[in-house]
């Protein structure tokens, strides 16, 4: 697994070990940390390796989960060239590894391939509306290129490819400085600091709890279905302002909700059509409600922040 010591990667490592697999976790620790997998270090089937996916690698493996890439706008925009290198060269290297090892590879793509979508909700057949030169382009176009590479390896070299288009996913173990909306709001609410809603807060996202997403990953990797992308996310759509209110209430916080500038090219709405996932992945659908998921995330942050 690449990016295995990040937020989603650490949950996936845990799940794969529970299922009896041997897991090699590669990470350059850019946004991930050893702390996320500290509890797995003594496990006899777990191995942690510092490796940057922009460097080639060969290894005997059966499956590759390719998650390495900063995912939060503040992190992926800090060094946009590096982000493109990670998304493009990193995916190329991991596809070469899969090809050589005759392994199946699952690519962690994103709903950002739809950009600021004109079609709503987003079905996999929608080609997207991405600004190719805006501040989000390094990530969005990097991931679009990663998808193009993956389907090309499938067509040209018969590599067994799976593509997950992940919609906003949150949960325990997100970094307190991750910068994405759920972790920001939870940290702010727990510290009784102002909750920063960007713009009017009427933009929407659809928030999926980590364990639901991981279940989708496992089923997608196991499915006989080929390289066509599959949306994985929770179809419940929420405005950012609603999310702020839910978080404040569940954290029993005294925070006020304040407005901050809306970032450039911030997508106005986002909701997955998950009919393909339901059909191909044995009826897969998220089971954790937003309220349950936010409450669990609050508990985790409360413990870690000691508040
Ligand atoms: P994260 O930032 O917590 O994890 C990314 C991991 O990749 C980190 O451990 C980081 O250190 C590692 N990494 C970054 N660049 C690397 C490189 N060049 N070489 C090796 N390791 C590198 O983010 P996450 O939320 O866990 O996201 C995991 C994957 O899922 C990413 O590919 C992301 O684009 C994708 N994704 C996540 C979401 C979401 O909402 N969480 C949504 C869409 C897509
Ligand atoms: N957002 C916000 N306050 C924050 C962080 C984010 O209002 O402190 C908004 C952001 O403008 C966007 C939404 O929340 O509309 C989701 O942002 P995030 O960075 O989590 O993910 P993405 O924009 O990549 O979906």
């Amino acid at each position: 697994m690449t990016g295995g010591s990040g937020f989603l990667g650490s949950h996936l490592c845990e799940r794969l070990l529970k299922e009896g697999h041997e897991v090699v976790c590669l990470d350059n620790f850019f946004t991930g940390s050893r702390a996320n997998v500290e509890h797995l270090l003594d496990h006899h089937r777990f191995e942690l390796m510092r490796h940057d996916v922009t460097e080639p690698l060969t290894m005997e493996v059966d499956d590759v989960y390719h998650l390495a890439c900063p995912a939060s706008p503040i992190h992926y925009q800090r060094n946009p060239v590096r982000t493109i290198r990670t998304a493009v060269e990193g995916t190329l290297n991991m596809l070469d590894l899969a090809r050589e090892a005759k392994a199946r590879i699952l690519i962690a793509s994103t709903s950002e391939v739809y950009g600021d979508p004109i079609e709503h909700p987003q079905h996999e057949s929608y080609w997207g509306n991405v600004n190719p030169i805006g501040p989000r382009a390094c990530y969005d176009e990097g991931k679009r290129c990663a998808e193009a590479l993956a389907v090309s390896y499938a067509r040209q070299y018969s590599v067994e490819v799976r593509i997950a288009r992940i919609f906003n996913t949150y949960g325990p173990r997100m970094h307190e400085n991750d910068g994405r909306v759920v972790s920001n709001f939870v940290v702010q609410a727990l510290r009784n600091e102002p909750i920063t809603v960007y713009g009017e807060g009427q933009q929407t996202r659809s928030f999926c709890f980590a364990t639901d997403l991981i279940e989708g990953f496992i089923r997608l990797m196991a499915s006989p279905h080929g390289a066509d992308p599959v949306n994985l996310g929770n179809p419940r759509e929420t405005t950012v302002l609603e999310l702020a209110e839910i978080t404040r209430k569940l954290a029993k916080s005294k925070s006020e909700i304040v407005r901050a500038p809306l970032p450039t090219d911030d997508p106005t709405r986002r909701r997955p059509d998950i009919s393909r996932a339901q059909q191909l992945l044995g009826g897969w659908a998220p089971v954790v409600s937003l309220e349950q998921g936010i409450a669990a995330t609050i508990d985790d942050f409360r413990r870690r922040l000691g508040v």
Side-chain angles (χ1 to χ4, degrees), residues 3 5-9 26-32 51-54 67-71 82 86 108-110 139 143 166-169 180:
S5 68
F7 158 56
L8 288 177
L26 308 180
D27 210 294
N28 71 349
F29 305 115
F30 175 41
T31 51
H51 178 80
D52 193 303
V53 291
T54 59
L67 275 68
C69 188
R82 183 93 215 132
T86 293
S109 185
T110 169
Y139 183 75
K143 291 283 187 175
I166 308 164
F167 284 65
N168 299 65
T169 302
R180 281 176 282 183

Side-chain angles (χ1 to χ4, degrees), residues 20-34:
H21 297 286
E22 204 170 305
V23 177
V24 183
C25 169
L26 308 180
D27 210 294
N28 71 349
F29 305 115
F30 175 41
T31 51
S33 71
R34 285 173 72 87

